[in-house]
Amino acid sequence: MSGRDKSAVIFADVVRRNPGESEFHQAVLEVLESIIPALDKHPEYTEAKIIERICEPERQIIFRVPWEDDRGEVHINRGFRVEFNSALGPYKGGLRFHPSVNLGIVKFLGFEQTFKNGLTGMPIGGGKGGSDFDPKGRSDREIMRFCQSFMNELYRHIGEYTDVPAGDIGVGGREIGYLFGQYKRITNRYESGVLTGKGLGYGGAQVRREATGYGAVFFADEVLRTSGDRLDGKRVLVSGSGNVAIYAAEKAQQLGAVVIGCSDSSGYIRDDKGLDLELLKEIKELRRVRIDEYVRARPHAAFVPGSPIWEVPCDVAIPCATQNEISATDAANLVEGGCRLVVEGANMPTTPEALRVFEGAGVRFAPGKAANAGGVAASALEMQQNASRDSWSFGYSEERLQEIMKEIHASCHTTAEEYGMPGNYVAGANIAGFRRVAEAMLALGLI
Ligand code: NDP
Ligand code: 2IT
């Protein structure tokens, strides 16, 4: 059977065995389509049923999370941890707290994470978790009680050599602190390497907070350099205004770009003079309020409620909010507005239809599993520092991050060329990430 036929049969089986999990199907299809040339070249993967095994998580944990709000009312949420693949190292990947979280979403994220972590070249397997808990409007005490209850079950499944969670949407430094505190209390172990994204005062690493956004911009810079171009002077749009968006905007500004807009789920702001990042950090990191607050302090800027940010003309788009946030219409608007490069800070923010629009228009495209790998790579550096009880300076950590992003870029670029698809970063990232995981799985026997 050809690689193409084999991949179609496997995909049909994945859909049949995982009904209703549309995001998971979408992520699997993209990878299976990309790796066809690698399957044709390496029949040993097909013989050993590597793809069938890769599409089936090693372990899936679903649990009840009961907690009490400030008024004493009891709430029940659902917790997840999908331990996808440990061929390359302990399961590694974030936790997402958002009302939309369900098993299919956690599986798509865990699946992507497996290849992303492979691409980093670091010793980390793939996993993901989270809950359908909605942190919006909750007090610090409520967040703490939720995190403690979540950890009361999660602790038995994780460990520095087993599974190492971190943040994702709705989970940042505050939540990681509460989760770590509860893990330490239950286990009576100061096991720093069990979670990453910790605060700098208790085992966290410099540049982890900035790493995903900075890394995405380093990746953008590498893509531009391949054609002798640079970020300096470019108009950049960033969607979202959370951890990834804020630090993508910061690094883009440092490299001379003008970041003219960002968003949250209520709408977007446009500031043609360039975003005031200190103000944005105060609104989003300290006060945790809605983005229209921005225009109160910067009256020349505009707040546009309810519309996608992609209607604003730009040169470079960095989606940093959530999956499937760029539709075909958004993509057409971006192309019309002059956008020549899309770099995914978020996981799978571009719909397959939008990707076809970009491809048709010759827009360069950097997929999340390569471009946003800086976050998890910095997590692996945090694990390394925890294991050696060391802590590195900001400057050194940022240099390491930049080197890693350059290597990931080079690996996607050369793999795409090797397989006859120059400039196709989707194929390059999927094939390079897949091959790292597949080779390790072959070496480890039938696992
Ligand atoms: P945050 O929670 O810090 O920020 C998320 C931002 O996206 C917020 O502005 C939020 O708006 C917006 N957003 C989230 N969900 C939706 C939605 N359904 N519709 C519209 N807007 C939405 O998360 P992160 O910045 O950490 O994560 C952003 C993306 O980056 C995710 O795709 C995540 O998986 C990915 N990522 C994160 C990494 C990390 O290290 N944190 C690493 C690699 C990838 P609002 O507040 O209004 O909900
Ligand atoms: O999607 C991701 O890569 C993350 N949310 C970060 C995972 C991590 O373990 O740092």
Side-chain angles (χ1 to χ4, degrees), residues 96 98 116 136 168-170 208 212 240-244 263-265 290 320-322 345-347 372:
R96 176 178 290 191
H98 191 274
K116 180 195 304 189
K136 276 205 191 73
D168 194 80
I169 292 176
R208 174 60 191 91
T212 312
S241 47
N243 174 262
V244 181
S263 63
D264 69 11
S265 56
R290 302 284 76 203
C320 299
T322 194
N347 285 308
N372 73 34

Side-chain angles (χ1 to χ4, degrees), residues 92-94 113 116 128 164 166-168 196 208 347 372 375-376 379:
K92 182 82 197 88
Q113 195 82 48
K116 180 195 304 189
K128 202 83 185 191
V164 182
D168 194 80
T196 60
R208 174 60 191 91
N347 285 308
N372 73 34
V376 77
S379 279

Side-chain angles (χ1 to χ4, degrees), residues 141 361 447:
R141 309 300 289 179
I447 52 163

Side-chain angles (χ1 to χ4, degrees), residues 85-128:
N85 194 301
S86 61
L88 288 171
Y91 309 107
K92 182 82 197 88
L95 298 170
R96 176 178 290 191
F97 292 169
H98 191 274
S100 63
V101 166
N102 57 40
L103 183 61
I105 287 183
V106 177
K107 278 166 70 176
F108 117 65
L109 290 164
F111 183 78
E112 291 279 291
Q113 195 82 48
T114 300
F115 303 104
K116 180 195 304 189
N117 295 2
L119 263 182
T120 66
M122 299 164 106
I124 41 179
K128 202 83 185 191

